Amino acid sequence: MTSSANPVPLWQPSPERIAQAQVTRFQAWAAERYGAPADGGYEALHRWSVAELDTFWKAVTDWFDVRFSTPYARVLGERSMPGAEWFPGSTVNYAEHALRAAEDPARADTPAILHVDESHDPQPVTWAELRRQVGSLAAELRGLGVRPGDRVSGYLPNIPQAVVALLATAAVGAVWTSCAPDFGARSVLDRFQQVEPVVLFTVDGYRYGGKEHDRRDTVAELRSELPTLRAVVHIPLLGTAAPEGTLEWSALTSADVAPVFEAVPFDHPLWVLYSSGTTGLPKAIVQSQGGILVEHLKQLGLHCDLGPDDRFFWYTSTGWMMWNFLVSGLLTGTTIVLYDGSPGYPDTGAQWRIAERTGATLYGTSAAYVMACRKADVHPARDFDLSRVKCVATTGSPLPPDGFRWLHEEFADTPGGLWTASVSGGTDVCSCFAGAVPTLPVHIGELQAPCLGTDLQSWDLQGKPLVDEVGELVVTNPMPSMPIHFWNDPDGARYHDSYFDTYPGVWRHGDWITLTARGSVIIHGRSDSTLNRQGVRMGSADIYEAVERLPEIRESLVIGVEQPDGGYWMPLFVHLAPGAALDDALRDRIKRTIREQLSPRHVPDEVIEVPGVPHTLTGKRIEVPVKRLLQGTPLDKAVNAGSVDDLDLLRFYENIARKRS
């Protein structure tokens, strides 16, 4: 796909919207003080932000009034990747910035958090109450002997207590890490055992899809398998009594104590996130207090255009980086919306109802949810009052062109239309490489632009930059939120091999992208599971988008398998909708659809019915392990069993490989 494919924008911001956007005001201010270009719009600002990296990030910290307890000597010390040193010598605290809005007496009694469960009845937590609870819990953590650098873990759903626990941990200078309670004990232990937490926050269970799910047995197993724990804190979400030897949440958060914020070095660990870990143990990715603080201020304040009058809702769980990103909405003084429950309960339109009930101004979801609503004949703007929604953002996988069109048409009568922001980044940086820009047009199937301070390029195998051609997503300059290291990776070998083994000193993310001549970005899918027929590379996302338009197809998975004899086998696995049958007529229609909408080269060698498509615990289709199975790798070597949603499904693919051999 080239930049000429969609010459007419789907959406264009009004002159008023452009003038009011925070990124517009930032550019004018940075032009006066820091030599940023006053003209040329976002494109000129982005060029400056990567050419003058030090000056740009200094401007960001000044614009957002970052409080350095100890000042920095310079913005970038060592600038090589990996190992870039940001704001050396300075000290900061993330939690102090997240609670700054509580210092304003006019805002103290307004909501910092709106918590929603499956009743869809929003419950507020005010800024003053959030600050009080964090102060109380931080004091209790210190009383338990928690010191800077200690790890504190949460086995929690998306509830206010999880936010309080994260912020109290950060206030102390300890390191937060969390898993959602739908993760089984083995998956949680694969993560937490690596980092050896001293405190564990747990619930007794959670509610999902109208049912209660008791997790007390899992919690007991975690307690017995985490020998470093000094304390376990019980949150009675289902109303059960605290198990013997645990502390009560209410007792730890009842004091009226102002939080004390530990001033920690800029590169001090803030939290540990985990890669989906489809092979081996999940990578334990460590990001810094200062790096996340400045990256998220930029991303949320300038790109998402969030401020004190906004309400920020993203459907997520504590096991996904988008939860951490959502919590950072507090940095911009924004009210964050926490939804704990099924995305489709009691019906497919549930998330839109939550956006309505909470007055969300930025609503974030997955591309899969958008496409499910389109298939289910949901009409969000017709059936719900979404007049406050300024932006619908999607991530998790590329939003197909049909998803762009559907959102645009559904909100066609909204004044100014709907700003649709498809964004792409990764757990690895807990941010976006490309996506939302409030001052740029939206073109179908395209992310608006690379993000500020992100030197995003598309490279060929020789490291030559490409325009309007598919290449590897690379970042050629450091970003503050890049990992400071992986846990238990003392020589940095695993970190280096994950991103820097292809192009020395340059971050290779593992996605195929096209950078168009007009500056937009198209994501084609993972480069490590890329389809490559006769030397022509293709992204799997393009095929999913075409096939899953067909009403008979619930979900699909396409794999390209290099054969020992030099041949290439490209099967398409389809999970059918109820009542559908994979007969010759449907097979022909699938192949014809792909041939007509993509190319003959995209047509699979076989179409095979499967009982389901396997996913990681964060909902991503598993392509690479299935490819390994089809190449004859044993199941226990092809995938980490604790990282997938249904191991039996993978046995089905293993059997296919066995029958073919």
Side-chain angles (χ1 to χ4, degrees), residues 492-507:
R494 197 175 182 204
Y495 183 18
H496 180 276
D497 291 350
S498 294
Y499 313 109
F500 302 103
D501 63 341
T502 306
Y503 307 107
V506 171
W507 177 290

Side-chain angles (χ1 to χ4, degrees), residues 276 278 614-622 643-645:
S276 49
T278 46
H615 300 87
T616 66
L617 292 174
T618 54
K620 292 184 179 174
R621 282 180 246 236
I622 290 175
S643 69
V644 298
D645 59 0

Side-chain angles (χ1 to χ4, degrees), residues 103-119:
E103 298 167 13
D104 179 355
R107 303 209 58 210
D109 294 325
T110 62
I113 295 171
L114 288 172
H115 171 235
V116 189
D117 61 18
E118 288 187 342
S119 72

Side-chain angles (χ1 to χ4, degrees), residues 113 115-118 153-166 176-183 192 201-208 213 215 219 233-238 249 315-320 323-324 326-327 337-342:
I113 295 171
H115 171 235
V116 189
D117 61 18
E118 288 187 342
S153 55
Y155 184 59
L156 301 171
N158 186 10
I159 54 177
Q161 292 93 323
V163 177
V164 172
L166 184 161
W176 174 256
T177 191
S178 61
C179 286
D182 56 342
F183 283 30
F192 289 175
F201 289 91
T202 73
V203 285
D204 48 0
Y206 64 99
R207 297 180 181 89
Y208 188 94
H213 301 264
R215 302 308 270 171
V219 170
V233 182
H234 173 74
I235 299 169
L237 203 65
L238 302 185
W249 171 264
Y315 178 78
T316 184
S317 80
T318 59
W320 188 24
W323 182 78
N324 304 65
L326 173 64
V327 173
V337 176
L338 309 181
Y339 175 59
D340 172 33
S342 164

Side-chain angles (χ1 to χ4, degrees), residues 117-160:
D117 61 18
E118 288 187 342
S119 72
H120 295 185
D121 185 22
Q123 302 296 317
V125 179
T126 65
W127 284 101
E129 178 63 10
L130 178 63
R131 187 172 188 270
R132 186 197 64 72
Q133 288 191 31
V134 170
S136 178
L137 185 57
E140 294 284 354
L141 288 174
R142 288 186 173 102
L144 290 167
V146 177
R147 297 290 174 260
D150 286 346
R151 277 76 62 207
V152 173
S153 55
Y155 184 59
L156 301 171
N158 186 10
I159 54 177

Side-chain angles (χ1 to χ4, degrees), residues 36 86 129 131 166 171 195 201 213 220 275 334 382 413 439 611:
W86 289 95
E129 178 63 10
R131 187 172 188 270
L166 184 161
V195 301
F201 289 91
H213 301 264
S275 71
T334 302
R382 184 193 74 185
D413 295 333
T439 56

Side-chain angles (χ1 to χ4, degrees), residues 4 62 69 79 86 185 199 205 228 258-259 291 321 333 339 428 459 491 495 501 503 548 553 568 586 593 598 625:
S4 59
D62 288 353
S69 306
R79 49 191 313 138
W86 289 95
V199 177
T228 52
M321 58 133 305
Y339 175 59
D428 324 74
W459 278 15
D491 61 356
Y495 183 18
D501 63 341
Y503 307 107
E548 289 170 16
I553 309 300
Y568 194 77
L586 180 56
T593 298
L598 299 170

Side-chain angles (χ1 to χ4, degrees), residues 180-199:
D182 56 342
F183 283 30
R186 186 69 263 151
S187 294
V188 179
L189 292 169
D190 280 350
R191 290 159 172 79
F192 289 175
Q193 280 177 338
Q194 293 189 65
V195 301
E196 302 179 307
V198 297
V199 177

